[in-house]
Amino acid sequence: MSVTIKDVARAAGVSPSTVSRVITKHSTVNKLTAQKVRKIMEELEYHPNIIAQSLVSKSTSTIGVLFPKTAEQLYMNLFFIEVIRGIFSETTASMYDVLTTTGATIDEELQATMNLVRGKRVDGLILLQSRVNDPIIQFLQAEGFPFVLIGRHVQDDSLLSVDNDNVKACYDAVKHMVEQGHERIAFVNGPSDLVVCKDRQAGYEQGLKDAGLPIRDDYTLDGSQFSSFQAVSTFMSLPERPTALIVQDDLMCMDLIRTFKEMHIRVPEDMAMISFNKMSIGGLVNPTLSNIDIDIFQLGKTAVELLVKQIRSEKIEQCRWIVPHQILSRQSSVLGSS
Amino acid sequence: MSVTIKDVARAAGVSPSTVSRVITKHSTVNKLTAQKVRKIMEELEYHPNIIAQSLVSKSTSTIGVLFPKTAEQLYMNLFFIEVIRGIFSETTASMYDVLTTTGATIDEELQATMNLVRGKRVDGLILLQSRVNDPIIQFLQAEGFPFVLIGRHVQDDSLLSVDNDNVKACYDAVKHMVEQGHERIAFVNGPSDLVVCKDRQAGYEQGLKDAGLPIRDDYTLDGSQFSSFQAVSTFMSLPERPTALIVQDDLMCMDLIRTFKEMHIRVPEDMAMISFNKMSIGGLVNPTLSNIDIDIFQLGKTAVELLVKQIRSEKIEQCRWIVPHQILSRQSSVLGSS
DNA sequence: CTGAAAGCGCTTACAG
DNA sequence: CTGAAAGCGCTTACAG
């Protein structure tokens, strides 16, 4: 049915080996023969079978991306979109394809990963998330399979990873609020088994400490487990209401602002807010959102760069890459900034 | 290095053929031998090489998704996220992997598609967009390669496709505005070479006609070419300003609302608005966005279902599938609806 | 510079 | 039920 290397060889009056040589460009072929072969390839619309190439070359020009059960996991939704954009921009440039999988549970994720790796379907893998004691990381390490982690691994500093300095990022958010005169600063965090959330928690507490403010248990909430309404009521029913809020995600932040509005709590007058995961929408809403911009796009892009280097066994100068963050002051955290 | 079918065969004292038979489950194997082989496979942590399987079976258990140069194409951003969620939900269920590619230009997209198809890397393809005279569609048709179109093909009704009734959807949007008492209804559309935009334009005009309203050229704009500020000024400088706006996308709509606010034009009092591409954020902003909900998730999910059927040569009852839409009335288009 | 041969890891008629 | 053989489409030492 479809034309193979043999058809080309026959038509060109050479051996399959020679055709292969002009395809791979590794070895030298007589210029004229090469020309003839190329002409025939075009005439016959020959296109190498990548699967067959992979089988012998043992490489696929494909990298895998493991999506956390994204459908359910609204709470970091925007993060994934942006990171994917970064990944695509770099894979397109490096001529890699992207194979994606997911699983609804950790076990399914692990299963999916094993299928990709053991089935030799990808040359390397990007993990979008870092959990404490992540079985997937353990598997990949044991297998010696190339992968890059977006995030930080607690147990092992020698893993190839791209991350923000999340401790510092959240520290800076606290500092921003302190500079606005706030003393009661609360924090809506994500699931505590994610390293990124642990780090931000640490930065939050350090920030309070350095500002001479007390750390209060009732000022931290896992936002992934609460509706915005619950979160708001929890904070608002405290004897000492917070006056500033640091939130894990733009979407979550917008949801909180809406709820505040319904309760006639003004942002930023009664409650100053700043959130992570800067997205384009943050500038389109009212009030515009103050952000800790962690440059998610760059996170994805760098991850691919590192992975490709690792796959090609190029030298990598350092194994932990930090993408700088930036505080973006807008209306939701600064009085009279419209 | 990694364990192959031969290793298993040797360890189990059978031939590679037999091992293959217990893997594929097609043919009958003696229960006891099968058991023994399975045990050895586990002990050795054997996992079939999918690439090798693909080469002989000529199928990959992978479907391809062609992303339009998503990075640049902010204007339909939200659409893609949602459609991908739908695609993933169904591929996970059907045990297919998803291979993605993009290109920065149409030529690059075509090239990427040809690589996937001719390289035999995927069993079928999903196209996220339908252009007039799309060279990619022409290529796939010529090749006889399984694919599903999200959208509608103008020239050929026999293509397998999932779509909304976009004519009706936009017609309904006009009707909604007419029911609110509006007579000057403008339309911010997308690029006119997309079939979806053409269809909506037709629905828009038919809606006006049926309401006895004039069709005015200066009431339609290609929003993908204008900044929101330009769009707003264009409309606002008209001798007869529109009082209602139908917008192609939530994000674009939010951007317009922000610009209106800055110019002290109230939504919905001075300008009623409704947009396509319903996303979760639409309910989180102020005012909440009225939407024509086209159920993008379902669009993606159905596309996979159809493609899988086509790949497996199952019978498909009809080639055009229509996902129903729904008008969602919220604050941005209805007075006093808070 | 080029061809014949072996092999990548698997599957599948073909015999038995 | 099972094994030996051929083959999927390619690449790569090995000779020449």
PDB file of all heavy atoms in Angstrom, chain B residues 12 14 17-23 25-39, chain C residues 16, chain D residues 1-3:
ATOM      1  N   ALA B  12      10.523 -19.065  30.286  1.00  0.00           N
ATOM      2  CA  ALA B  12       9.316 -19.883  30.464  1.00  0.00           C
ATOM      3  C   ALA B  12       9.436 -21.222  29.747  1.00  0.00           C
ATOM      4  O   ALA B  12       8.567 -22.073  29.859  1.00  0.00           O
ATOM      5  CB  ALA B  12       8.099 -19.113  29.962  1.00  0.00           C
ATOM      6  N   VAL B  14       9.240 -21.707  26.532  1.00  0.00           N
ATOM      7  CA  VAL B  14       8.341 -21.809  25.381  1.00  0.00           C
ATOM      8  C   VAL B  14       8.918 -20.987  24.238  1.00  0.00           C
ATOM      9  O   VAL B  14       9.971 -20.372  24.378  1.00  0.00           O
ATOM     10  CB  VAL B  14       6.923 -21.307  25.723  1.00  0.00           C
ATOM     11  CG1 VAL B  14       6.282 -22.150  26.795  1.00  0.00           C
ATOM     12  CG2 VAL B  14       6.979 -19.834  26.135  1.00  0.00           C
ATOM     13  N   SER B  17       6.578 -17.144  19.968  1.00  0.00           N
ATOM     14  CA  SER B  17       5.211 -17.106  19.430  1.00  0.00           C
ATOM     15  C   SER B  17       4.197 -17.296  20.542  1.00  0.00           C
ATOM     16  O   SER B  17       3.172 -16.608  20.604  1.00  0.00           O
ATOM     17  CB  SER B  17       5.014 -18.207  18.396  1.00  0.00           C
ATOM     18  OG  SER B  17       6.211 -18.502  17.736  1.00  0.00           O
ATOM     19  N   THR B  18       4.475 -18.251  21.400  1.00  0.00           N
ATOM     20  CA  THR B  18       3.530 -18.534  22.473  1.00  0.00           C
ATOM     21  C   THR B  18       3.397 -17.343  23.407  1.00  0.00           C
ATOM     22  O   THR B  18       2.299 -16.963  23.804  1.00  0.00           O
ATOM     23  CB  THR B  18       3.984 -19.782  23.256  1.00  0.00           C
ATOM     24  OG1 THR B  18       4.088 -20.856  22.332  1.00  0.00           O
ATOM     25  CG2 THR B  18       3.003 -20.120  24.346  1.00  0.00           C
ATOM     26  N   VAL B  19       4.536 -16.763  23.748  1.00  0.00           N
ATOM     27  CA  VAL B  19       4.475 -15.582  24.601  1.00  0.00           C
ATOM     28  C   VAL B  19       3.620 -14.514  23.929  1.00  0.00           C
ATOM     29  O   VAL B  19       2.730 -13.917  24.547  1.00  0.00           O
ATOM     30  CB  VAL B  19       5.886 -15.016  24.868  1.00  0.00           C
ATOM     31  CG1 VAL B  19       5.800 -13.774  25.726  1.00  0.00           C
ATOM     32  CG2 VAL B  19       6.762 -16.066  25.523  1.00  0.00           C
ATOM     33  N   SER B  20       3.885 -14.312  22.666  1.00  0.00           N
ATOM     34  CA  SER B  20       3.105 -13.314  21.925  1.00  0.00           C
ATOM     35  C   SER B  20       1.618 -13.625  22.009  1.00  0.00           C
ATOM     36  O   SER B  20       0.791 -12.736  22.187  1.00  0.00           O
ATOM     37  CB  SER B  20       3.554 -13.288  20.462  1.00  0.00           C
ATOM     38  OG  SER B  20       2.722 -12.441  19.715  1.00  0.00           O
ATOM     39  N   ARG B  21       1.307 -14.888  21.926  1.00  0.00           N
ATOM     40  CA  ARG B  21      -0.101 -15.268  21.967  1.00  0.00           C
ATOM     41  C   ARG B  21      -0.751 -14.932  23.304  1.00  0.00           C
ATOM     42  O   ARG B  21      -1.903 -14.516  23.334  1.00  0.00           O
ATOM     43  CB  ARG B  21      -0.246 -16.761  21.691  1.00  0.00           C
ATOM     44  CG  ARG B  21      -0.111 -17.074  20.222  1.00  0.00           C
ATOM     45  CD  ARG B  21      -0.409 -18.510  19.904  1.00  0.00           C
ATOM     46  NE  ARG B  21      -0.011 -18.805  18.527  1.00  0.00           N
ATOM     47  CZ  ARG B  21       1.087 -19.478  18.197  1.00  0.00           C
ATOM     48  NH1 ARG B  21       1.898 -19.962  19.133  1.00  0.00           N
ATOM     49  NH2 ARG B  21       1.385 -19.676  16.932  1.00  0.00           N
ATOM     50  N   VAL B  22       0.011 -15.128  24.377  1.00  0.00           N
ATOM     51  CA  VAL B  22      -0.640 -14.787  25.656  1.00  0.00           C
ATOM     52  C   VAL B  22      -0.751 -13.268  25.800  1.00  0.00           C
ATOM     53  O   VAL B  22      -1.662 -12.769  26.451  1.00  0.00           O
ATOM     54  CB  VAL B  22      -0.003 -15.485  26.894  1.00  0.00           C
ATOM     55  CG1 VAL B  22       1.087 -16.442  26.517  1.00  0.00           C
ATOM     56  CG2 VAL B  22       0.437 -14.501  27.942  1.00  0.00           C
ATOM     57  N   ILE B  23       0.131 -12.535  25.155  1.00  0.00           N
ATOM     58  CA  ILE B  23       0.015 -11.069  25.217  1.00  0.00           C
ATOM     59  C   ILE B  23      -1.210 -10.577  24.449  1.00  0.00           C
ATOM     60  O   ILE B  23      -2.003  -9.788  24.949  1.00  0.00           O
ATOM     61  CB  ILE B  23       1.272 -10.395  24.615  1.00  0.00           C
ATOM     62  CG1 ILE B  23       2.498 -10.708  25.464  1.00  0.00           C
ATOM     63  CG2 ILE B  23       1.075  -8.888  24.505  1.00  0.00           C
ATOM     64  CD1 ILE B  23       3.803 -10.360  24.782  1.00  0.00           C
ATOM     65  N   LYS B  25      -3.796 -12.285  23.293  1.00  0.00           N
ATOM     66  CA  LYS B  25      -5.060 -12.895  23.704  1.00  0.00           C
ATOM     67  C   LYS B  25      -5.952 -13.308  22.531  1.00  0.00           C
ATOM     68  O   LYS B  25      -7.084 -13.720  22.736  1.00  0.00           O
ATOM     69  CB  LYS B  25      -5.866 -11.934  24.611  1.00  0.00           C
ATOM     70  CG  LYS B  25      -5.174 -11.673  25.942  1.00  0.00           C
ATOM     71  CD  LYS B  25      -5.843 -10.508  26.664  1.00  0.00           C
ATOM     72  CE  LYS B  25      -5.012 -10.079  27.867  1.00  0.00           C
ATOM     73  NZ  LYS B  25      -5.197  -8.668  28.181  1.00  0.00           N
ATOM     74  N   HIS B  26      -5.437 -13.163  21.316  1.00  0.00           N
ATOM     75  CA  HIS B  26      -6.272 -13.508  20.178  1.00  0.00           C
ATOM     76  C   HIS B  26      -6.467 -15.016  20.084  1.00  0.00           C
ATOM     77  O   HIS B  26      -7.572 -15.509  19.956  1.00  0.00           O
ATOM     78  CB  HIS B  26      -5.630 -13.012  18.868  1.00  0.00           C
ATOM     79  CG  HIS B  26      -5.637 -11.533  18.777  1.00  0.00           C
ATOM     80  ND1 HIS B  26      -6.690 -10.756  19.224  1.00  0.00           N
ATOM     81  CD2 HIS B  26      -4.713 -10.661  18.304  1.00  0.00           C
ATOM     82  CE1 HIS B  26      -6.429  -9.492  19.023  1.00  0.00           C
ATOM     83  NE2 HIS B  26      -5.237  -9.393  18.468  1.00  0.00           N
ATOM     84  N   SER B  27      -5.364 -15.738  20.130  1.00  0.00           N
ATOM     85  CA  SER B  27      -5.452 -17.173  19.906  1.00  0.00           C
ATOM     86  C   SER B  27      -5.497 -17.906  21.260  1.00  0.00           C
ATOM     87  O   SER B  27      -5.297 -17.327  22.312  1.00  0.00           O
ATOM     88  CB  SER B  27      -4.247 -17.632  19.090  1.00  0.00           C
ATOM     89  OG  SER B  27      -3.321 -16.599  18.926  1.00  0.00           O
ATOM     90  N   THR B  28      -5.747 -19.158  21.162  1.00  0.00           N
ATOM     91  CA  THR B  28      -5.871 -19.947  22.383  1.00  0.00           C
ATOM     92  C   THR B  28      -4.518 -20.514  22.807  1.00  0.00           C
ATOM     93  O   THR B  28      -3.719 -20.972  21.994  1.00  0.00           O
ATOM     94  CB  THR B  28      -6.830 -21.136  22.147  1.00  0.00           C
ATOM     95  OG1 THR B  28      -6.571 -21.629  20.834  1.00  0.00           O
ATOM     96  CG2 THR B  28      -8.256 -20.680  22.273  1.00  0.00           C
ATOM     97  N   VAL B  29      -4.284 -20.451  24.071  1.00  0.00           N
ATOM     98  CA  VAL B  29      -3.066 -21.002  24.652  1.00  0.00           C
ATOM     99  C   VAL B  29      -3.487 -21.897  25.809  1.00  0.00           C
ATOM    100  O   VAL B  29      -4.479 -21.600  26.491  1.00  0.00           O
ATOM    101  CB  VAL B  29      -2.146 -19.875  25.178  1.00  0.00           C
ATOM    102  CG1 VAL B  29      -0.874 -20.447  25.768  1.00  0.00           C
ATOM    103  CG2 VAL B  29      -1.837 -18.873  24.083  1.00  0.00           C
ATOM    104  N   ASN B  30      -2.776 -22.937  26.003  1.00  0.00           N
ATOM    105  CA  ASN B  30      -3.034 -23.816  27.137  1.00  0.00           C
ATOM    106  C   ASN B  30      -3.008 -23.014  28.423  1.00  0.00           C
ATOM    107  O   ASN B  30      -2.092 -22.223  28.666  1.00  0.00           O
ATOM    108  CB  ASN B  30      -1.965 -24.917  27.167  1.00  0.00           C
ATOM    109  CG  ASN B  30      -2.126 -25.822  28.371  1.00  0.00           C
ATOM    110  OD1 ASN B  30      -1.952 -25.392  29.504  1.00  0.00           O
ATOM    111  ND2 ASN B  30      -2.457 -27.071  28.119  1.00  0.00           N
ATOM    112  N   LYS B  31      -4.030 -23.240  29.232  1.00  0.00           N
ATOM    113  CA  LYS B  31      -4.183 -22.411  30.434  1.00  0.00           C
ATOM    114  C   LYS B  31      -2.952 -22.401  31.316  1.00  0.00           C
ATOM    115  O   LYS B  31      -2.524 -21.356  31.815  1.00  0.00           O
ATOM    116  CB  LYS B  31      -5.387 -22.888  31.251  1.00  0.00           C
ATOM    117  CG  LYS B  31      -6.668 -22.204  30.817  1.00  0.00           C
ATOM    118  CD  LYS B  31      -7.733 -22.309  31.889  1.00  0.00           C
ATOM    119  CE  LYS B  31      -9.033 -21.665  31.377  1.00  0.00           C
ATOM    120  NZ  LYS B  31     -10.228 -22.224  32.033  1.00  0.00           N
ATOM    121  N   LEU B  32      -2.404 -23.604  31.507  1.00  0.00           N
ATOM    122  CA  LEU B  32      -1.244 -23.687  32.403  1.00  0.00           C
ATOM    123  C   LEU B  32      -0.028 -22.969  31.832  1.00  0.00           C
ATOM    124  O   LEU B  32       0.660 -22.234  32.554  1.00  0.00           O
ATOM    125  CB  LEU B  32      -0.905 -25.157  32.695  1.00  0.00           C
ATOM    126  CG  LEU B  32      -1.515 -25.696  33.992  1.00  0.00           C
ATOM    127  CD1 LEU B  32      -3.030 -25.835  33.892  1.00  0.00           C
ATOM    128  CD2 LEU B  32      -0.846 -27.006  34.383  1.00  0.00           C
ATOM    129  N   THR B  33       0.231 -23.168  30.540  1.00  0.00           N
ATOM    130  CA  THR B  33       1.355 -22.452  29.922  1.00  0.00           C
ATOM    131  C   THR B  33       1.131 -20.952  30.031  1.00  0.00           C
ATOM    132  O   THR B  33       2.044 -20.205  30.385  1.00  0.00           O
ATOM    133  CB  THR B  33       1.488 -22.815  28.420  1.00  0.00           C
ATOM    134  OG1 THR B  33       0.495 -23.770  28.073  1.00  0.00           O
ATOM    135  CG2 THR B  33       2.859 -23.332  28.105  1.00  0.00           C
ATOM    136  N   ALA B  34      -0.089 -20.540  29.730  1.00  0.00           N
ATOM    137  CA  ALA B  34      -0.396 -19.112  29.800  1.00  0.00           C
ATOM    138  C   ALA B  34      -0.085 -18.568  31.185  1.00  0.00           C
ATOM    139  O   ALA B  34       0.541 -17.518  31.342  1.00  0.00           O
ATOM    140  CB  ALA B  34      -1.862 -18.876  29.457  1.00  0.00           C
ATOM    141  N   GLN B  35      -0.527 -19.330  32.173  1.00  0.00           N
ATOM    142  CA  GLN B  35      -0.287 -18.913  33.553  1.00  0.00           C
ATOM    143  C   GLN B  35       1.203 -18.753  33.827  1.00  0.00           C
ATOM    144  O   GLN B  35       1.649 -17.749  34.372  1.00  0.00           O
ATOM    145  CB  GLN B  35      -0.856 -19.971  34.495  1.00  0.00           C
ATOM    146  CG  GLN B  35      -1.783 -19.428  35.556  1.00  0.00           C
ATOM    147  CD  GLN B  35      -2.582 -20.561  36.174  1.00  0.00           C
ATOM    148  OE1 GLN B  35      -2.026 -21.595  36.541  1.00  0.00           O
ATOM    149  NE2 GLN B  35      -3.881 -20.368  36.286  1.00  0.00           N
ATOM    150  N   LYS B  36       1.943 -19.773  33.429  1.00  0.00           N
ATOM    151  CA  LYS B  36       3.378 -19.744  33.673  1.00  0.00           C
ATOM    152  C   LYS B  36       4.011 -18.530  32.983  1.00  0.00           C
ATOM    153  O   LYS B  36       4.792 -17.791  33.590  1.00  0.00           O
ATOM    154  CB  LYS B  36       4.021 -21.038  33.146  1.00  0.00           C
ATOM    155  CG  LYS B  36       5.484 -21.178  33.513  1.00  0.00           C
ATOM    156  CD  LYS B  36       6.007 -22.584  33.213  1.00  0.00           C
ATOM    157  CE  LYS B  36       5.878 -22.911  31.730  1.00  0.00           C
ATOM    158  NZ  LYS B  36       6.327 -24.277  31.387  1.00  0.00           N
ATOM    159  N   VAL B  37       3.635 -18.338  31.738  1.00  0.00           N
ATOM    160  CA  VAL B  37       4.192 -17.208  30.987  1.00  0.00           C
ATOM    161  C   VAL B  37       3.875 -15.889  31.681  1.00  0.00           C
ATOM    162  O   VAL B  37       4.738 -15.026  31.854  1.00  0.00           O
ATOM    163  CB  VAL B  37       3.642 -17.195  29.546  1.00  0.00           C
ATOM    164  CG1 VAL B  37       4.016 -15.896  28.843  1.00  0.00           C
ATOM    165  CG2 VAL B  37       4.183 -18.378  28.775  1.00  0.00           C
ATOM    166  N   ARG B  38       2.640 -15.768  32.109  1.00  0.00           N
ATOM    167  CA  ARG B  38       2.252 -14.526  32.773  1.00  0.00           C
ATOM    168  C   ARG B  38       3.074 -14.311  34.040  1.00  0.00           C
ATOM    169  O   ARG B  38       3.464 -13.178  34.349  1.00  0.00           O
ATOM    170  CB  ARG B  38       0.759 -14.545  33.111  1.00  0.00           C
ATOM    171  CG  ARG B  38      -0.079 -13.738  32.122  1.00  0.00           C
ATOM    172  CD  ARG B  38      -1.497 -13.552  32.623  1.00  0.00           C
ATOM    173  NE  ARG B  38      -2.248 -14.798  32.530  1.00  0.00           N
ATOM    174  CZ  ARG B  38      -2.910 -15.179  31.443  1.00  0.00           C
ATOM    175  NH1 ARG B  38      -2.899 -14.420  30.373  1.00  0.00           N
ATOM    176  NH2 ARG B  38      -3.571 -16.321  31.430  1.00  0.00           N
ATOM    177  N   LYS B  39       3.308 -15.391  34.733  1.00  0.00           N
ATOM    178  CA  LYS B  39       4.082 -15.272  35.973  1.00  0.00           C
ATOM    179  C   LYS B  39       5.496 -14.767  35.657  1.00  0.00           C
ATOM    180  O   LYS B  39       5.998 -13.830  36.284  1.00  0.00           O
ATOM    181  CB  LYS B  39       4.154 -16.645  36.672  1.00  0.00           C
ATOM    182  CG  LYS B  39       4.674 -16.575  38.097  1.00  0.00           C
ATOM    183  CD  LYS B  39       4.330 -17.824  38.904  1.00  0.00           C
ATOM    184  CE  LYS B  39       5.427 -18.178  39.895  1.00  0.00           C
ATOM    185  NZ  LYS B  39       6.397 -19.168  39.387  1.00  0.00           N
TER     186      LYS B  39
ATOM    187  P    DG C  16       4.018 -30.426   7.844  1.00  0.00           P
ATOM    188  OP1  DG C  16       5.398 -30.852   7.516  1.00  0.00           O
ATOM    189  OP2  DG C  16       2.883 -30.930   7.037  1.00  0.00           O
ATOM    190  O5'  DG C  16       3.729 -30.763   9.371  1.00  0.00           O
ATOM    191  C5'  DG C  16       4.782 -30.623  10.320  1.00  0.00           C
ATOM    192  C4'  DG C  16       4.208 -30.690  11.697  1.00  0.00           C
ATOM    193  O4'  DG C  16       3.155 -29.713  11.830  1.00  0.00           O
ATOM    194  C3'  DG C  16       3.571 -32.035  12.053  1.00  0.00           C
ATOM    195  O3'  DG C  16       4.345 -32.642  13.069  1.00  0.00           O
ATOM    196  C2'  DG C  16       2.177 -31.680  12.556  1.00  0.00           C
ATOM    197  C1'  DG C  16       2.307 -30.191  12.847  1.00  0.00           C
ATOM    198  N9   DG C  16       1.046 -29.446  12.840  1.00  0.00           N
ATOM    199  C8   DG C  16       0.193 -29.206  11.786  1.00  0.00           C
ATOM    200  N7   DG C  16      -0.855 -28.512  12.101  1.00  0.00           N
ATOM    201  C5   DG C  16      -0.694 -28.274  13.463  1.00  0.00           C
ATOM    202  C6   DG C  16      -1.525 -27.556  14.379  1.00  0.00           C
ATOM    203  O6   DG C  16      -2.588 -26.990  14.147  1.00  0.00           O
ATOM    204  N1   DG C  16      -0.989 -27.569  15.663  1.00  0.00           N
ATOM    205  C2   DG C  16       0.201 -28.173  16.033  1.00  0.00           C
ATOM    206  N2   DG C  16       0.559 -28.080  17.314  1.00  0.00           N
ATOM    207  N3   DG C  16       0.990 -28.828  15.197  1.00  0.00           N
ATOM    208  C4   DG C  16       0.476 -28.840  13.932  1.00  0.00           C
TER     209       DG C  16
ATOM    210  P    DC D   1      -6.562 -24.582  23.049  1.00  0.00           P
ATOM    211  OP1  DC D   1      -6.938 -24.379  24.422  1.00  0.00           O
ATOM    212  OP2  DC D   1      -6.641 -23.510  22.057  1.00  0.00           O
ATOM    213  O5'  DC D   1      -5.139 -25.248  22.960  1.00  0.00           O
ATOM    214  C5'  DC D   1      -4.463 -25.694  24.125  1.00  0.00           C
ATOM    215  C4'  DC D   1      -3.115 -26.141  23.684  1.00  0.00           C
ATOM    216  O4'  DC D   1      -3.232 -26.607  22.329  1.00  0.00           O
ATOM    217  C3'  DC D   1      -2.060 -25.032  23.685  1.00  0.00           C
ATOM    218  O3'  DC D   1      -0.888 -25.535  24.324  1.00  0.00           O
ATOM    219  C2'  DC D   1      -1.822 -24.737  22.200  1.00  0.00           C
ATOM    220  C1'  DC D   1      -2.181 -26.058  21.544  1.00  0.00           C
ATOM    221  N1   DC D   1      -2.703 -25.904  20.153  1.00  0.00           N
ATOM    222  C2   DC D   1      -1.904 -26.340  19.082  1.00  0.00           C
ATOM    223  O2   DC D   1      -0.775 -26.835  19.325  1.00  0.00           O
ATOM    224  N3   DC D   1      -2.359 -26.201  17.814  1.00  0.00           N
ATOM    225  C4   DC D   1      -3.564 -25.677  17.603  1.00  0.00           C
ATOM    226  N4   DC D   1      -3.988 -25.569  16.335  1.00  0.00           N
ATOM    227  C5   DC D   1      -4.393 -25.248  18.670  1.00  0.00           C
ATOM    228  C6   DC D   1      -3.937 -25.373  19.911  1.00  0.00           C
ATOM    229  P    DT D   2       0.327 -24.654  24.638  1.00  0.00           P
ATOM    230  OP1  DT D   2       1.081 -25.241  25.767  1.00  0.00           O
ATOM    231  OP2  DT D   2      -0.158 -23.267  24.672  1.00  0.00           O
ATOM    232  O5'  DT D   2       1.186 -24.855  23.328  1.00  0.00           O
ATOM    233  C5'  DT D   2       2.166 -25.880  23.273  1.00  0.00           C
ATOM    234  C4'  DT D   2       2.915 -25.750  21.984  1.00  0.00           C
ATOM    235  O4'  DT D   2       1.974 -25.586  20.903  1.00  0.00           O
ATOM    236  C3'  DT D   2       3.841 -24.527  21.898  1.00  0.00           C
ATOM    237  O3'  DT D   2       5.161 -25.014  21.794  1.00  0.00           O
ATOM    238  C2'  DT D   2       3.404 -23.781  20.633  1.00  0.00           C
ATOM    239  C1'  DT D   2       2.610 -24.838  19.905  1.00  0.00           C
ATOM    240  N1   DT D   2       1.549 -24.346  18.992  1.00  0.00           N
ATOM    241  C2   DT D   2       1.681 -24.620  17.649  1.00  0.00           C
ATOM    242  O2   DT D   2       2.624 -25.228  17.179  1.00  0.00           O
ATOM    243  N3   DT D   2       0.657 -24.145  16.865  1.00  0.00           N
ATOM    244  C4   DT D   2      -0.464 -23.453  17.288  1.00  0.00           C
ATOM    245  O4   DT D   2      -1.313 -23.094  16.481  1.00  0.00           O
ATOM    246  C5   DT D   2      -0.539 -23.206  18.697  1.00  0.00           C
ATOM    247  C7   DT D   2      -1.716 -22.461  19.247  1.00  0.00           C
ATOM    248  C6   DT D   2       0.457 -23.644  19.480  1.00  0.00           C
ATOM    249  P    DG D   3       6.402 -24.062  22.179  1.00  0.00           P
ATOM    250  OP1  DG D   3       7.116 -24.712  23.299  1.00  0.00           O
ATOM    251  OP2  DG D   3       5.937 -22.665  22.294  1.00  0.00           O
ATOM    252  O5'  DG D   3       7.292 -24.222  20.866  1.00  0.00           O
ATOM    253  C5'  DG D   3       7.400 -25.518  20.279  1.00  0.00           C
ATOM    254  C4'  DG D   3       7.888 -25.397  18.861  1.00  0.00           C
ATOM    255  O4'  DG D   3       6.769 -25.071  17.990  1.00  0.00           O
ATOM    256  C3'  DG D   3       8.943 -24.310  18.627  1.00  0.00           C
ATOM    257  O3'  DG D   3       9.944 -24.838  17.774  1.00  0.00           O
ATOM    258  C2'  DG D   3       8.156 -23.182  17.969  1.00  0.00           C
ATOM    259  C1'  DG D   3       7.071 -23.933  17.212  1.00  0.00           C
ATOM    260  N9   DG D   3       5.810 -23.223  17.054  1.00  0.00           N
ATOM    261  C8   DG D   3       5.100 -22.578  18.031  1.00  0.00           C
ATOM    262  N7   DG D   3       3.975 -22.047  17.590  1.00  0.00           N
ATOM    263  C5   DG D   3       3.957 -22.372  16.235  1.00  0.00           C
ATOM    264  C6   DG D   3       2.988 -22.063  15.241  1.00  0.00           C
ATOM    265  O6   DG D   3       1.929 -21.447  15.366  1.00  0.00           O
ATOM    266  N1   DG D   3       3.355 -22.567  13.990  1.00  0.00           N
ATOM    267  C2   DG D   3       4.499 -23.275  13.745  1.00  0.00           C
ATOM    268  N2   DG D   3       4.673 -23.670  12.499  1.00  0.00           N
ATOM    269  N3   DG D   3       5.415 -23.576  14.669  1.00  0.00           N
ATOM    270  C4   DG D   3       5.082 -23.092  15.891  1.00  0.00           C
TER     271       DG D   3
END
